[in-house]
Amino acid sequence: MRGGTTIIAVATLVLVVMAIQYPLSTTFPIGGDAASYVTKSRHIQEVWQSRYPTAQLILTSSALLPLSWPDRFIWIMSLGHMATGLALGFLVFRLTRDTFATAAALFFWGLSITGIQRHFEDGTLAQLWSLPWLLLWLESIYSRAWKRSYGMLLATITTHPFSGLLVLLTSLLFLMQLVIDRPAATREKKQLYVCAGLTILLTLFLSSILLLRPTIVHDNSDHLSITEAIRSAHGALLLLAPVGILYGLHTVRSNRVGRSVMIAWVAATSFFAFNDRLNIGVETNRFATYFFLLVTFGAAVAAPYVLRHAIPLRLARRFVLTTLAGAMFLWTWSDNAAIYNFYESPSRYARLHRDEQAAFTDLKHLLPANSVLTSSEANRHVEWLPILTGRTWYATPAAEAVWHGDATAWRNYARERHFTHFVSLKHTEEPPEPLRAPGHHFPKVYENNAVIVYQLL
Amino acid sequence: MKNIPLLSRLGSWLLLATICINYLGGGYELVLTAALISIALITLPWITREFVSLLLGILLVIPALAFLPVVIRGNFLPAPKLLIGSGLLLLLISLWSLARRLLWQTVFKKEGAAE
């Protein structure tokens, strides 16, 4: 038991170290969605209007931390990664009762921080934070803790609707198996029918909201490439996963509910992740994360089985395990460091540039409190304007006629919308010609290497 | 039956070797073939009627999924296609559960109903 505790402690340490490498290696959030989450989390009333209320609430609660909003976002992402790893470890332990498999789950998830998972690089906070609820939902179903499962189902749906959709399809698939497997005319069967009916209704309701919105991504080109994934640093996980999934099903064969929910989870996850191969093509990029979660689960269950069978001698096994784990840890640490350095490098312009950040901070002190800013939508860095300046900001879409207008058109446009200042990011665009034309119709109120600001009114 | 643990051990060795070959830049076809052989070897000791039924289910669902694009091809938008696909997956799993239950009740009647 002591050995089991030690290996879990070491794996947890790896998970924590990998997760905090992000806040320790970066000075500003990476990922295009970061600013959007922070914007909505600053005001509690906007949290309830969001599609991800629970995720927004988690970020809003970080206001208790004595940090800036960008730093809070980075730490909440790290905590989300840790929470998912711990939930995965808990699920694996409940299924296998094996401390080695639990440690493998914590370790493998710890290593999947970049590359195979793109939550940090895309800034997809809501989807990352929906994974712990999803895993705890699976565990509650396995343990037949029905009341807890309703809570986890609700938490998953309200944290990220795609995760909710996956949970609902999994529910349908496993309820259907139970309905068919159960002996006829029992009280439990009637309850199952009611549950199945409610789940169908909930699935249709969520699907109609989620899948019929105009912004849904329809793309058949975004294939989840198994070939590329096998060749990556995480290839071992993909090779181990089929064994682990089959072994997991073999282990839970006496638990009818556990077996059914696992079959349903595997089927629903694979269906969503590879829906483009079925000529559907809906958000395969977003659904891929659930497949890699399943792969990590399978690899964690398989790893102890394969190692124990391949190397029966404990001392030799420990040596091989330490060498392999150490090599994987260092390889992943180095890969992650390269990725964080890429985003930190000012020459890459992969996240808000340091000069842009400095300019936005200067504007906070320079502009009057009632200023209303506007800018183009040249890149998503402008989304940080309201957060860092504390001023109201609206983008001027590229379709607006004012982009082709003269100084008078700009003045009228500003009067109509009450825009007081125009902010231009020099790395991606030139300010509109009427604003920078000689004659000083629009005084330049601020300029540094990356940002130029004109007064419109 | 004595050779089954040996097969399982061989499978585990082969899978570990496959992982190493993969990291050393082995060909995709070689890696995939070796992985499939090792999975087959490892799973041999687990062959029970429950496991056979699971494998039958997989064998039923995979070819059926291959026909899905044909079934849902049409002028539907992708999102409704996803719903139709989900419905068909539900139907397939239900059919498998039903077939499994009928098989249990007829062929394995003496051993009990579902388990």
Side-chain angles (χ1 to χ4, degrees), chain A residues 122-432:
Chain A
D122 292 345
T124 47
L125 177 132
Q127 198 177 25
L128 178 61
W129 267 99
S130 70
L131 301 181
W133 309 126
L134 191 155
L135 292 163
L136 291 174
W137 175 79
L138 285 167
E139 189 281 325
S140 59
I141 295 286
Y142 177 78
S143 310
R144 298 174 187 230
W146 305 116
K147 283 182 185 168
R148 185 149 51 88
S149 77
Y150 299 140
M152 293 304 137
L153 174 69
L154 192 66
T156 312
I157 292 173
T158 53
T159 310
H160 199 278
F162 281 174
S163 303
L165 202 60
L166 177 71
V167 167
L168 285 172
L169 183 61
T170 307
S171 302
L172 278 177
L173 294 176
F174 113 89
L175 281 169
M176 210 47 76
Q177 289 178 71
L178 286 188
V179 166
I180 292 165
D181 274 1
R182 293 274 162 180
T186 61
R187 188 168 163 266
E188 209 171 10
K189 187 164 183 173
K190 283 177 189 165
Q191 287 177 344
L192 282 171
Y193 277 130
V194 173
C195 278
L198 285 173
T199 313
I200 289 170
L201 287 176
L202 200 56
T203 310
L204 289 173
F205 176 69
L206 189 67
S207 307
S208 63
I209 293 174
L210 193 64
L211 298 175
L212 300 180
R213 69 201 157 91
T215 52
I216 190 95
V217 175
H218 299 152
D219 187 8
N220 272 319
S221 64
D222 204 4
H223 284 296
L224 172 61
S225 171
I226 292 294
T227 321
E228 278 178 29
I230 284 182
R231 287 182 190 286
S232 75
H234 304 93
L237 304 191
L238 276 127
L239 292 171
L240 284 168
V243 175
I245 290 165
L246 289 172
Y247 185 59
L249 287 167
H250 174 68
T251 310
V252 300
R253 65 191 178 282
S254 57
N255 179 340
R256 196 199 307 251
V257 171
R259 181 201 61 202
S260 301
V261 79
M262 271 199 68
I263 291 171
W265 181 37
V266 174
T269 302
S270 309
F271 170 69
F272 277 134
F274 296 101
N275 79 74
D276 55 337
R277 309 285 169 97
L278 300 171
N279 196 31
I280 298 171
V282 171
E283 303 271 10
T284 40
N285 188 33
R286 288 282 149 250
F287 283 123
T289 193
Y290 308 112
F291 180 72
F292 287 121
L293 187 67
L294 177 68
V295 163
T296 312
F297 166 84
V301 174
Y305 183 91
V306 170
L307 274 174
R308 279 177 188 143
H309 278 74
I311 313 165
L313 198 65
R314 184 180 283 187
L315 192 67
R317 191 164 62 235
R318 283 186 178 172
F319 175 75
V320 170
L321 186 66
T322 312
T323 312
L324 280 177
M328 286 175 84
F329 174 79
L330 290 174
W331 187 356
T332 313
W333 177 275
S334 156
D335 278 357
N336 289 351
I339 288 170
Y340 298 139
N341 283 339
F342 173 87
Y343 284 100
E344 277 296 287
S345 169
S347 60
R348 301 288 183 179
Y349 197 55
R351 56 103 163 146
L352 191 74
H353 194 278
R354 281 174 193 160
D355 289 337
E356 289 168 350
Q357 192 181 347
F360 292 178
T361 311
D362 289 344
L363 291 176
K364 184 180 183 178
H365 306 290
L366 185 76
L367 298 179
N370 59 352
S371 303
V372 182
L373 316 180
T374 188
S375 70
S376 73
E377 293 176 312
N379 68 36
R380 297 191 71 181
H381 295 184
V382 286
E383 291 177 25
W384 286 104
L385 263 169
I387 300 158
L388 297 180
T389 62
R391 306 295 182 270
T392 310
W393 163 83
Y394 299 100
T396 296
E400 285 285 351
V402 71
W403 288 110
H404 310 290
D406 56 8
T408 314
W410 272 100
R411 201 173 299 282
N412 292 338
Y413 177 72
R415 276 194 191 124
E416 279 169 23
R417 313 284 170 104
H418 309 290
F419 292 148
T420 57
H421 296 85
F422 182 91
V423 181
S424 177
L425 305 187
K426 290 182 181 178
H427 283 285
T428 46
E429 63 184 359
E430 286 275 323

Side-chain angles (χ1 to χ4, degrees), chain A residues 176 180 230 233 259 309-310, chain B residues 9 13 22-23 94 100-101:
Chain A
M176 210 47 76
I180 292 165
I230 284 182
R259 181 201 61 202
H309 278 74
Chain B
R9 184 156 295 172
W13 266 110
N22 183 47
Y23 280 139
S94 306
R100 187 177 153 277
R101 190 182 169 197

Side-chain angles (χ1 to χ4, degrees), chain A residues 421-452:
Chain A
H421 296 85
F422 182 91
V423 181
S424 177
L425 305 187
K426 290 182 181 178
H427 283 285
T428 46
E429 63 184 359
E430 286 275 323
E433 204 277 328
L435 301 190
R436 58 190 158 92
H440 304 292
H441 296 293
F442 302 98
K444 191 195 299 175
V445 292
Y446 182 88
E447 183 172 13
N448 74 355
N449 290 330
V451 175
I452 185 163

